[in-house]
Amino acid sequence: MDPQLNRTSLRYGVPGVLLQLAAPYLVYAVWPSVPDNLLRLIVLAGTVLLMIGLAYYAMAKGRSPWWCLLGFLSLVGLLGLALLEDRSGTPPGGP
């Protein structure tokens, strides 16, 4: 696995998952009078960030960036991509 691409995937993926998980709490507990469209926008931004992170993670594993579409499944998609075989040819732990 390419360590540089893996680090880049974490830079995008972790904030994406956090936005997806924290958005309902933030909107309903902290700002209860905020319209539902804000919640949808925050979750959409989290999904986009997660998909970018998954694209980099797929490339780090030697796979097509199209595997990022698993981001629509949120954490289940992340788990599915993590279980894929590494085809990058790089030994574990980097070069």
Side-chain angles (χ1 to χ4, degrees), residues 10-81:
L10 288 173
R11 281 189 207 118
Y12 288 103
V14 170
V17 169
L18 291 177
L19 280 175
Q20 284 184 338
L21 296 177
Y25 169 74
L26 287 174
V27 171
Y28 291 124
V30 179
W31 302 318
S33 62
V34 172
D36 286 340
N37 289 337
L38 179 63
L39 173 65
R40 290 184 185 106
L41 184 64
I42 293 171
V43 171
L44 178 65
T47 302
V48 169
L49 284 174
L50 176 61
M51 290 176 68
I52 292 169
L54 290 180
Y56 278 108
Y57 187 66
M59 289 187 294
K61 291 186 101 172
R63 302 282 183 150
S64 168
W66 285 101
W67 282 96
C68 77
L69 295 176
L70 288 174
F72 284 119
L73 300 175
S74 191
L75 294 175
V76 175
L78 177 62
L79 179 64
L81 188 56

Side-chain angles (χ1 to χ4, degrees), residues 1-3 5-6 56-64 84-95:
M1 178 177 302
D2 184 353
L5 288 173
N6 191 24
Y56 278 108
Y57 187 66
M59 289 187 294
K61 291 186 101 172
R63 302 282 183 150
S64 168
L84 286 177
E85 178 185 352
D86 185 2
R87 293 185 178 172
S88 66
T90 307

